[in-house]
Amino acid sequence: RRPDLLEFIAKNPNLSGFLVQPDFPQIVQELQSNPGALGTHLSDQRVQMLLQELLKFNNPEVFRKAEEDELKKRKEREAAEEAARKAKEEEEKKKKAEEAAKKAAMTEADFEGDPKGLSNFFKDKGNDCYKAKKFEEAIDFYTKAYNADKENIAVLTNRAAVRFEQKMYEDCVKDCQQAVEEGRTCRADFKIIARAYERMGNAYVKLEKLDEAIKSYNDSLVENRTREVEKKLKETEKIKKESAERAYINPEISAKEKEKGNALVKEAKWIDAKAAYDEAIKRNPTDHTIYSNRALCFMKLMEWPSAKNDCDKALEIEPKFVRALERRGNCYMMLKEPTKALNDFKKGLELDPENQGCIQGVQRVEATMFSGQRDQQAVENAMKDPEIQQILQDPVISNVLRDLQQNPQAAQEALKDPVVSERIQKLAAAGILSFG
């Protein structure tokens, strides 16, 4: 049976996609009703593909043989290309081997009257020794290379690299300094100068002369900016900063500054007290109580985000520090995040059930829950909280919220579950749910 043309197209994976194009089914119907119209559509690539697929359908054996022949030719071409590639590789390998053998057979006498060639000859010898970790021999060859051609300052940076591997950092620095000086004189490539500064910086780091290392890396970047040197510079600056901070630590001075701050707090001199606590923290950054004390100053100065950050730091050092939990809870209240405030107050009460600050904090949050008033800013903040978002997406909580309006008795039964009750309380604390 001759298939319907549209049905044939729909079943053919090479053609079916054309049916979604509005004009193609119209062309097909026109060809079916008027085969003579084929000439007007032969330039259409889709029609050409249709004719090809119909020929395949009507003459499968002919097309199968054509495809086999094409596949055979393609494989022959690929085999010939692979053979040519391998032959080229072998030729290049052979050429390199001949060059290596020729190079190995060369001696100093071959470079008579050619100082630059002799210098490069010694440099290559030095590189081979360096790779083989024959450092003394490498130094000897690099020295000969430099003596043969004083403008070949790259060998000085190579010799510096050997000194670095030998942990002879002072000598490494000297070679790099000489490379820079000589390079300036002979107008050497700026990349070689940059390399000399970089290796000088590496040696200074090992010598713990961080200021000199930072200057060397900066000088290298002036000559040639690379990501590798930028990374080394940042790492060295970080080491210097951390080293300075460690050197500044003195718990005894910290304690005195803390006491000074405490005395100023009693006088309500919040700015001066904060300054004293700043110094105390620098002198002993692991004392969690100082962060909490400074948080109090920030709170009195109405700088709630800074106060909250100090509480975070105190709790990072000592997670069971109730005073910091209480103060952070108060910060959250002022930052319109009552759900987080309630969490902190409750954590504080778990650790110290009699803590009045946390008890009063819970009471304040609960008062907002039953006030009947809605703080729009608090609600917006709560909706950004991942915990609140998760609670709202919980199908059990969704059912309870619906029952609170439609079936209060069922809702009361569900609220007997401590997990459900706690989550409903969090929604109420956030202002999303009001009992007022």
Side-chain angles (χ1 to χ4, degrees):
R1 183 178 71 89
R2 182 177 179 181
D4 177 77
L5 197 51
L6 288 174
E7 179 184 345
F8 172 78
I9 294 170
K11 291 180 179 180
N12 189 302
N14 294 327
L15 303 173
S16 58
F18 297 148
L19 291 176
V20 299
Q21 301 173 11
D23 64 326
F24 188 69
Q26 296 175 4
I27 293 173
V28 172
Q29 290 172 356
E30 181 184 354
L31 292 174
Q32 281 185 306
S33 61
N34 180 18
L38 179 61
T40 62
H41 295 292
L42 275 178
S43 60
D44 190 322
Q45 190 174 5
R46 298 170 298 176
V47 174
Q48 295 174 16
M49 289 179 64
L50 173 59
L51 291 174
Q52 187 176 14
E53 294 298 324
L54 285 170
L55 287 171
K56 286 183 183 179
F57 181 77
N58 293 321
N59 303 279
E61 187 62 28
V62 173
F63 274 87
R64 183 187 63 78
K65 187 175 185 307
E67 287 178 352
E68 288 178 353
D69 290 344
E70 179 59 30
L71 180 61
K72 182 180 178 182
K73 290 178 182 178
R74 186 165 64 248
K75 287 183 177 180
E76 288 174 351
R77 284 197 304 271
E78 290 174 352
E81 289 172 358
E82 179 64 16
R85 186 186 64 79
K86 287 184 177 180
K88 185 177 179 181
E89 284 182 357
E90 288 297 323
E91 183 64 28
E92 290 177 352
K93 195 181 294 184
K94 181 180 177 182
K95 185 178 179 181
K96 286 181 180 179
E98 290 174 351
E99 289 176 352
K102 182 180 178 182
K103 186 177 176 182
M106 296 179 78
T107 65
E108 295 179 40
D110 293 313
F111 297 96
E112 186 175 352
D114 181 11
K116 291 187 181 297
L118 180 61
S119 181
N120 287 327
F121 169 74
F122 285 132
K123 175 186 172 183
D124 292 340
K125 291 286 186 181
N127 291 346
D128 292 339
C129 290
Y130 177 75
K131 292 174 184 176
K133 297 189 181 299
K134 297 178 180 179
F135 295 139
E136 289 300 331
E137 293 180 42
I139 287 175
D140 182 55
F141 279 121
Y142 288 142
T143 302
K144 288 181 177 180
Y146 177 67
N147 290 335
D149 178 13
K150 301 289 186 180
E151 292 186 356
N152 190 3
I153 65 162
V155 297
L156 292 176
T157 65
N158 289 9
R159 191 170 69 182
V162 180
R163 302 290 194 196
F164 187 88
E165 291 294 330
Q166 293 179 308
K167 304 187 188 310
M168 299 170 65
Y169 303 123
E170 294 285 2
D171 289 335
C172 175
V173 169
K174 289 177 182 177
D175 274 346
C176 291
Q177 289 173 336
Q178 185 180 356
V180 172
E181 292 170 6
E182 297 293 337
R184 298 286 190 213
T185 302
C186 66
R187 300 181 181 276
D189 188 332
F190 62 88
K191 290 184 178 180
I192 297 177
I193 303 293
R195 189 192 312 152
Y197 276 127
E198 178 188 355
R199 290 179 179 172
M200 195 187 306
N202 297 343
Y204 277 134
V205 169
K206 292 295 184 179
L207 291 168
E208 297 184 357
K209 295 181 178 181
L210 301 182
D211 288 331
E212 290 88 341
I214 290 169
K215 183 180 184 305
S216 296
Y217 289 141
N218 276 317
D219 288 340
S220 178
L221 292 172
V222 169
E223 298 293 333
N224 183 36
R225 183 163 290 274
T226 65
R227 290 184 179 179
E228 183 180 358
V229 177
E230 285 179 341
K231 182 180 178 183
K232 288 180 179 180
L233 175 61
K234 289 179 181 178
E235 289 174 350
T236 306
E237 289 174 335
K238 181 181 178 184
I239 293 170
K240 180 187 174 184
K241 181 182 176 183
E242 291 173 349
S243 178
E245 289 172 351
R246 285 194 300 271
Y248 199 69
I249 289 174
N250 187 317
E252 291 182 6
I253 296 178
S254 176
K256 290 179 181 178
E257 290 294 329
K258 178 183 174 183
E259 287 303 318
K260 179 181 175 183
N262 293 346
L264 290 165
V265 164
K266 291 176 182 178
E267 298 176 24
K269 295 180 179 179
W270 311 115
I271 295 176
D272 293 339
K274 176 199 162 295
Y277 291 139
D278 287 344
E279 183 64 19
I281 287 171
K282 290 177 183 176
R283 292 291 186 175
N284 187 6
T286 59
D287 185 343
H288 60 284
T289 63
I290 310 175
Y291 292 99
S292 177
N293 290 4
R294 190 171 68 177
L296 174 63
C297 295
F298 280 127
M299 292 168 74
K300 294 296 184 180
L301 294 168
M302 309 290 284
E303 296 183 26
W304 304 108
S306 297
K308 180 257 177 190
N309 290 340
D310 266 357
C311 292
D312 288 344
K313 186 63 180 180
L315 291 166
E316 179 185 321
I317 299 170
E318 177 46 74
K320 295 183 179 180
F321 189 30
V322 177
R323 189 185 305 160
L325 285 167
E326 175 204 337
R327 287 177 178 167
R328 190 170 69 176
N330 287 321
C331 290
Y332 277 133
M333 288 295 289
M334 299 306 297
L335 292 169
K336 307 289 187 180
E337 298 189 65
T339 306
K340 293 180 179 179
L342 185 63
N343 285 341
D344 276 349
F345 292 139
K346 286 189 172 182
K347 284 180 185 176
L349 290 174
E350 288 174 7
L351 297 166
D352 180 8
E354 303 300 322
N355 185 278
Q356 290 302 306
C358 290
I359 290 172
Q360 293 170 10
V362 171
Q363 291 172 347
R364 281 194 295 130
V365 176
E366 290 178 344
T368 63
M369 293 164 55
F370 294 96
S371 67
Q373 297 178 352
R374 191 179 179 90
D375 189 322
Q376 191 58 37
Q377 184 60 55
V379 173
E380 290 178 6
N381 290 341
M383 293 302 291
K384 298 175 185 176
D385 187 333
E387 183 182 13
I388 295 297
Q389 293 174 3
Q390 187 177 9
I391 291 173
L392 291 172
Q393 292 170 4
D394 186 335
V396 174
I397 300 301
S398 297
N399 290 334
V400 173
L401 293 176
R402 186 180 63 250
D403 288 342
L404 283 171
Q405 293 181 328
Q406 301 176 1
N407 188 355
Q409 186 175 355
Q412 290 299 322
E413 190 65 29
L415 287 171
K416 292 179 181 179
D417 184 324
V419 175
V420 173
S421 178
E422 181 186 8
R423 293 186 173 186
I424 292 297
Q425 284 183 21
K426 287 182 177 179
L427 293 180
I432 295 172
L433 183 63
S434 176
F435 294 112

